[in-house]
Amino acid sequence: MQKRVVFRSRLLPYLLVLPQIAITVIFFFWPSYQAIESSFFIEDAFGFSREWVGLQNYFELFDDPGYLKSFRTTLIFGVSVAFLAMSIALGLAVAANRVVKAATGYRTLLIWPYAVAPALAGVMWYFMMNPSLGIVAYWLRSLGVDWNHYLNGDQALLLVIVAAAWKQISYNFLFFLAGLQSIPKSMLEAAAIDRAGPVRRFWTIVFPLLTPTTFFLLVVNLVYAFFDTFSLIHATTEGGPVDATSVLVFRVYNTGFIGQDYGSSAAQSVILMALVIGMTFVQFRYVERKVQY
Amino acid sequence: MATLSIKSLGKTYPGNVTAVQDVDVEIADGEFIVLVGPSGCGKSTILRMIAGLEAITTGDLHIDGERVNDREPGDRNIAMVFQNYALYPHMSVRKNMEYGLKNEGLPKPEIAKRIEEASRTLRLEEYLDRKPRQLSGGQRQRVAMGRAIVRDPKVFLFDEPLSNLDAKLRTQLRAELKALHHRLGATFIYVTHDQVEAMSLADRIIIMNAGRVEQIGTPMDLYLRPATRFVADFIGSPAMNFIEGTVGEDRRSLAINGTQVLNMGQELPARAGAQVAMGMRPEHLGDAGGADIQVSLQVSFVEQLGADTVVHGNLSGGAQPLAVRLHGVHASEPGSEIALGCGMGHVHLFDTATGARLN
Ligand SMILES: Nc1ncnc2c1ncn2[C@@H]1O[C@H](COP(=O)(O)OP(=O)(O)O)[C@@H](O)[C@H]1O
Ligand SMILES: [Mg+2]
């Protein structure tokens, strides 16, 4: 049987993919090209003149201790968000998987945070943690923790990590639950007969079988934390205090729109772009080859 | 090696589904027991209660004289082979077999020795480093078996272990399983819905219907003296013929459809006017000459199997189906009639209402 569609006209297939190509070109390729181009120029704040400077914008970035610190902050932020969001989601999924009947209701409840807009999530956490009127800050103080993320950079970072992770838990939960439900019950029963207790069963059977899911989620969570948390940080800490929570995406915005240094901002986005491409590449390569059994 | 004692065992699943009721059986050390019955009759449920995978609702289970109702599956000294094998897909064949032994904390040399022995027995040596997905169905089945053997359990439990294989492999593995049982001398409890498997493997068969035991006995007990009509119908292929009728006034005849009267030649163990079903196996019908019971078969179609010929049709003058198995090759035209006879010794008489055996 011939499964491929054969078009009579040569033009039609191109016409059919044209809208998709147009969208990709206009909204992805063109801005990317512009960013790459701008990163080679120094432009005045009003866009009247610009001067070709080659790689100078890039060199300056890597000489800037602020930028290098932002790299470090992003790494800490990304890894913490991914770890927190994934481990909590896995715990919840394991619990939900035990009560298969109630799972649908439970699942619906757990999906809600994902539907909350990032900025709103930021504002919500901002209020809860606000040193003067936040309920959580109040509880913390009664526990003897002096919470003030306006002054304490570490606390500010912790706040955005928790807020960002909270947003991502439901997404991870759904994938983990689906992964858990695809593990045949008889396999765990066989392990029980093989004298493995519940904890051992989890670490030697369940967790390894979830590897493809875990790896996929790791990449998704890192991409989310690195590139998709701008509005959340903007609504909560605005990168501060000083630049304690100024992750790379936030810095792109700050340099470009606040500092009006378009060249440097463009160079930063090109670096981010390279990071995304790199991570996507890793994901495709590993999900397809290495992480299977 | 162990004895099992099952006393008034019952299982009710949540939602008030009673899957198993009042099962009583004593299993001797080294016996090969087969649980057989149609799908959904509760075979797996019994096996899973023995394994400890399903809580026992009522009754007691003793292994080697010890009550094990509340023991964890891992502490019952049993091993189980699942229908889908339940191999650990991320582990090599060797790791699959080692898993239980490591959990038991056996020393490494002992583990290596057991794996070597088992893989030799099961001809798995070449495959030890492969993953389950790189094996054929029959090889996976043997790995599942190996995983059970290395544990050296007192009782082996099998839940339809051959049902995912093709017919030829099934026959071959059946023979291997029988040989394995002979060599290990352990107690085997084996679940199947296939009566041929049950007959060829079992020392004793437990035949179940709708959660209850119909009969427990050797394959020949079940074949020669089925205790109920259900057993008579389930065991044997092609299935037993049943002719239903009313016992005559003289208790020596059977009235079929109110019109036809079948002469039985001797007194029936049933009162006059009783509704009974007379069972005769297709292979026990033969030459009419001088037989106790004489019937006539109107042929509708013929199955030529080579060694045998199975002729299907109806009892002449009625709608009751009848089949006969004739030795060798026979040509019978549809529509023709064959005169057949059966000795009283091969007749099984059942109460139509209760299904209980009468003779
Ligand atoms: N976990 C369960 N919950 C509710 N009912 C079940 C469950 N497992 C089996 N049953 C029911 O119990 C009966 C016996 O099932 P089972 O022992 O699996 O039968 P078999 O193995 O003989 O085919 C069936 O009617 C089945 O629907
Ligand atoms: Mg079953």
Side-chain angles (χ1 to χ4, degrees):
Chain A
M1 267 235 299
Q2 175 84 301
K3 274 203 177 151
R4 286 168 57 184
V5 180
V6 181
F7 290 101
R8 243 175 266 149
S9 149
R10 277 191 172 204
L11 213 59
L12 186 60
Y14 294 102
L15 218 62
L16 289 175
V17 291
L18 191 66
Q20 182 60 51
I21 289 177
I23 287 171
T24 312
V25 168
I26 296 170
F27 291 102
F28 294 93
F29 287 163
W30 180 242
S32 309
Y33 166 74
Q34 292 238 302
I36 293 171
E37 195 200 8
S38 319
S39 73
F40 296 121
F41 289 90
I42 287 181
E43 198 168 340
D44 75 78
F46 305 102
F48 290 139
S49 66
R50 59 185 203 170
E51 182 193 347
W52 170 267
V53 293
L55 290 174
Q56 194 194 326
N57 281 326
Y58 292 91
F59 290 141
E60 273 175 9
L61 272 182
F62 287 102
D63 277 342
D64 175 5
Y67 187 70
L68 296 179
K69 178 164 181 268
S70 177
F71 239 108
R72 211 178 65 99
T73 309
T74 308
L75 209 66
I76 295 172
F77 176 74
V79 170
S80 309
V81 168
F83 180 77
L84 203 62
M86 286 172 70
S87 47
I88 293 174
L90 181 57
L92 291 172
V94 168
N97 195 36
R98 294 171 73 101
V99 282
V100 185
K101 274 193 192 142
T104 15
Y106 199 69
R107 203 162 44 199
T108 317
L109 287 178
L110 275 166
I111 195 65
W112 282 354
Y114 195 61
V116 176
L120 281 183
V123 169
M124 190 188 81
W125 281 93
Y126 170 86
F127 277 121
M128 288 202 301
M129 304 302 288
N130 189 299
S132 45
L133 49 85
I135 179 84
V136 179
Y138 172 76
W139 288 336
L140 283 174
R141 209 164 305 124
S142 67
L143 288 174
V145 182
D146 184 19
W147 183 269
N148 190 341
H149 63 258
Y150 292 111
L151 300 177
N152 187 325
D154 290 339
Q155 288 184 355
L157 188 57
L158 189 61
L159 170 64
V160 288
I161 287 171
V162 169
W166 177 80
K167 270 281 299 159
Q168 198 62 9
I169 287 173
S170 11
Y171 182 88
N172 297 347
F173 167 80
L174 282 189
F175 276 86
F176 275 133
L177 186 62
L180 286 172
Q181 290 187 335
S182 72
I183 297 176
K185 200 164 147 251
S186 62
M187 211 174 288
L188 298 174
E189 291 174 343
I193 290 176
D194 270 346
R195 298 200 135 180
V199 177
R200 197 169 156 71
R201 284 203 291 275
F202 180 81
W203 289 113
T204 55
I205 310 285
V206 176
F207 195 70
L209 290 181
L210 284 178
T211 314
T213 312
T214 309
F215 188 78
F216 164 77
L217 286 178
L218 180 65
V219 176
V220 168
N221 280 260
L222 284 178
V223 169
Y224 159 77
F226 285 172
F227 311 112
D228 208 12
T229 43
F230 168 78
S231 49
L232 188 138
I233 290 176
H234 187 59
T236 354
T237 61
E238 295 195 65
V242 194
D243 53 4
T245 53
S246 171
V247 296
L248 291 172
V249 263
F250 196 79
R251 217 181 156 80
V252 170
Y253 163 83
N254 240 2
T255 313
F257 292 90
I258 311 293
Q260 306 211 313
D261 182 349
Y262 298 128
S264 175
S265 179
Q268 290 181 29
S269 15
V270 171
I271 292 171
L272 278 179
M273 213 149 64
L275 269 174
V276 181
I277 291 171
M279 283 171 67
T280 314
F281 184 74
V282 167
Q283 177 175 16
F284 282 148
R285 214 180 147 77
Y286 278 79
V287 165
E288 277 167 20
R289 307 239 176 91
K290 289 270 165 57
V291 194
Q292 60 172 348
Y293 31 81
Chain B
M1 278 173 253
T3 60
L4 261 88
S5 159
I6 295 171
K7 290 209 182 74
S8 47
L9 192 72
K11 173 76 190 180
T12 306
Y13 282 110
N16 246 347
V17 183
T18 301
V20 171
Q21 262 174 300
D22 301 326
V23 174
D24 280 287
V25 57
E26 298 291 325
I27 297 172
D29 185 18
E31 236 186 328
F32 199 136
I33 294 284
V34 175
L35 271 162
V36 73
S39 173
C41 70
K43 311 176 295 285
S44 298
T45 302
I46 293 183
L47 201 71
R48 293 167 59 79
M49 283 195 281
I50 297 174
L53 298 173
E54 219 58 82
I56 293 172
T57 316
T58 58
D60 286 309
L61 171 66
H62 293 259
I63 298 180
D64 262 350
E66 267 182 88
R67 188 174 182 276
V68 296
N69 282 41
D70 303 316
R71 285 227 196 128
E72 289 296 315
D75 299 332
R76 294 189 180 197
N77 225 326
I78 47 115
M80 182 155 167
V81 176
F82 292 81
Q83 179 169 7
N84 62 4
Y85 316 136
L87 299 178
Y88 312 126
H90 57 301
M91 299 185 195
S92 65
V93 170
R94 182 193 301 278
K95 289 256 159 63
N96 261 281
M97 295 203 276
E98 277 175 355
Y99 187 72
L101 303 180
K102 282 186 178 163
N103 292 342
E104 269 175 54
L106 281 190
K108 277 212 173 110
E110 174 67 19
I111 294 181
K113 189 173 135 250
R114 288 202 194 176
I115 294 204
E116 201 217 324
E117 264 177 34
S119 51
R120 185 154 19 88
T121 311
L122 296 165
R123 288 172 285 115
L124 284 170
E125 289 132 312
E126 299 166 51
Y127 310 112
L128 283 177
D129 294 316
R130 291 215 195 154
K131 295 279 172 67
R133 76 187 142 89
Q134 297 166 307
L135 302 175
S136 70
Q139 290 163 344
R140 282 180 207 179
Q141 210 284 333
R142 290 211 297 271
V143 177
M145 210 88 97
R147 195 168 63 179
I149 292 174
V150 293
R151 295 275 316 280
D152 193 20
K154 287 181 179 173
V155 184
F156 284 83
L157 307 175
F158 299 88
D159 195 352
E160 313 221 11
L162 305 183
S163 61
N164 288 349
L165 304 171
D166 62 67
K168 188 147 186 268
L169 203 53
R170 216 153 50 209
T171 316
Q172 184 195 331
L173 282 172
R174 214 157 64 198
E176 289 183 17
L177 206 64
K178 190 85 183 156
L180 190 69
H181 173 250
H182 195 74
R183 207 183 42 245
L184 296 173
T187 309
F188 276 33
I189 303 178
Y190 186 103
V191 163
T192 180
H193 63 268
D194 178 355
Q195 55 104 9
V196 178
E197 235 169 60
M199 296 292 277
S200 63
L201 286 171
D203 291 329
R204 276 196 302 161
I205 294 176
I206 301 175
I207 177 165
M208 310 228 356
N209 179 27
R212 289 175 186 277
V213 172
E214 287 276 335
Q215 189 173 2
I216 301 177
T218 65
M220 283 312 106
D221 286 342
L222 268 58
Y223 179 78
L224 296 172
R225 277 191 68 80
T228 64
R229 180 172 173 175
F230 176 86
V231 177
D233 196 26
F234 195 86
I235 301 289
S237 170
M240 187 185 278
N241 298 300
F242 291 100
I243 297 176
E244 290 181 10
T246 312
V247 178
E249 281 305 319
D250 58 355
R251 295 171 61 203
R252 286 169 174 271
S253 64
L254 202 59
I256 307 160
N257 299 333
T259 52
Q260 210 173 348
V261 175
L262 211 60
N263 197 340
M264 303 299 285
Q266 68 185 71
E267 196 162 292
L268 292 173
R271 61 180 171 74
Q275 299 285 323
V276 298
M278 180 179 67
M280 294 174 294
R281 295 197 182 278
E283 55 271 36
H284 292 152
L285 286 169
D287 262 352
D292 298 331
I293 298 169
Q294 313 255 343
V295 290
S296 168
L297 166 70
Q298 186 166 22
V299 180
S300 49
F301 70 97
V302 181
E303 280 182 293
Q304 300 272 14
L305 302 175
D308 297 309
T309 304
V310 182
V311 183
H312 297 265
N314 292 320
L315 189 64
S316 298
Q320 308 224 19
L322 196 65
V324 58
R325 181 181 204 143
L326 301 167
H327 203 69
V329 180
H330 292 261
S332 301
E333 281 303 310
S336 65
E337 297 209 347
I338 312 175
L340 297 166
C342 183
M344 232 5 233
H346 283 133
V347 168
H348 310 266
L349 212 58
F350 302 99
D351 185 318
T352 309
T354 65
R357 186 182 185 92
L358 297 171
N359 65 337

